[in-house]
């Protein structure tokens, strides 16, 4: 048996990254699963997500103030949401709104761990770990300008599945189109 070196891992990582990037581009070009939720944008949604009915939405989001659009896989193992930002955040620029959200997340639960922030095109995002009962949850929230309103989107999955979902969700952010940027 041959000894594996760091160069072998780097080479494998680069090959895998190229393969997944080319597959992601193919599906983006095909326009698969592009959806318009009447919020001033359209987006390519990863395979398997379906709109939650009222019963499923209540099971995941206990509050009456649920996001406008809730998409789930399976029985809620992973989910995507979209909604217009609340009025007071509509007046803020996206960078300020993201920092306000970061502060709110930290105040809600001191165990919340914010990992990273970034930009994909004109979309700002931040990801973090939160807790639900005995489970840890990976979350990625993102903000962007729709046609008329700023939009807040979110993604969640079990923390163990984040490495599978994170690249796909970041790729999805690059498929957001408003009427303005589509023209």
């Amino acid at each position: 048996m041959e000894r594996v070196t760091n160069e072998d891992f780097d080479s494998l990582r680069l090959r895998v990254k190229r393969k997944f990037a080319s597959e992601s581009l193919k599906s983006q070009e095909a326009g698969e699963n592009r959806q318009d939720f009447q919020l001033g944008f359209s987006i390519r949604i990863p395979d398997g997500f379906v709109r939650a009915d009222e019963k499923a939405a209540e099971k995941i989001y206990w509050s009456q103030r649920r996001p406008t659009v809730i998409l789930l896989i399976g029985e809620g193992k992973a989910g995507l949401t979209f909604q217009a930002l609340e009025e007071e955040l509509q007046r803020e620029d996206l960078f300020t709104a993201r920092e306000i959200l970061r502060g709110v997340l930290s105040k809600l639960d001191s165990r919340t761990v914010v990992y990273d922030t970034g930009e994909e095109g004109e979309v700002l995002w931040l990801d973090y770990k939160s807790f639900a009962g005995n489970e840890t949850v990976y979350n990625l929230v993102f903000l962007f300008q729709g046609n008329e309103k700023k939009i807040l989107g979110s993604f969640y999955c079990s923390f163990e599945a984040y490495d599978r979902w994170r690249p796909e969700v970041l790729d999805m952010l690059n498929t957001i189109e408003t009427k303005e940027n589509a023209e």
Side-chain angles (χ1 to χ4, degrees), residues 32-95:
E32 295 173 6
N33 297 322
R34 179 160 288 281
Q35 295 188 29
D36 182 340
F37 302 109
Q38 306 304 308
L39 291 171
F41 70 96
S42 67
I43 187 170
R44 183 190 55 79
I45 300 296
D47 289 337
F49 283 92
V50 294
R51 193 125 189 205
D53 62 22
E54 193 64 29
K55 186 177 179 181
E58 287 175 357
K59 192 175 178 182
I60 304 285
Y61 296 93
W62 300 344
S63 169
Q64 292 294 327
R65 294 179 56 190
R66 290 182 200 94
T68 310
V69 175
I70 301 172
L71 305 168
L72 302 173
I73 281 190
E75 296 180 8
K77 299 289 183 195
L80 280 165
T81 69
F82 300 96
Q83 63 191 349
L85 272 177
E86 293 188 6
E87 203 56 45
E88 60 271 10
L89 289 177
Q90 286 292 339
R91 293 186 285 269
E92 303 292 345
D93 66 79
L94 290 174
F95 288 96

Side-chain angles (χ1 to χ4, degrees), residues 137-157:
V137 180
Y138 173 76
N139 303 270
L140 192 144
V141 294
F142 46 96
L143 301 159
F144 60 95
Q145 180 66 51
N147 283 342
E148 296 174 12
K149 294 190 176 238
K150 291 179 182 75
I151 303 296
L152 170 65
S154 70
F155 168 81
Y156 76 85
C157 67

Side-chain angles (χ1 to χ4, degrees), residues 96-110:
T96 302
R98 179 175 64 184
E99 290 310 306
I100 291 169
L101 283 172
R102 180 198 294 247
V104 168
L105 289 169
S106 296
K107 288 178 184 174
L108 286 175
D109 187 344
S110 61

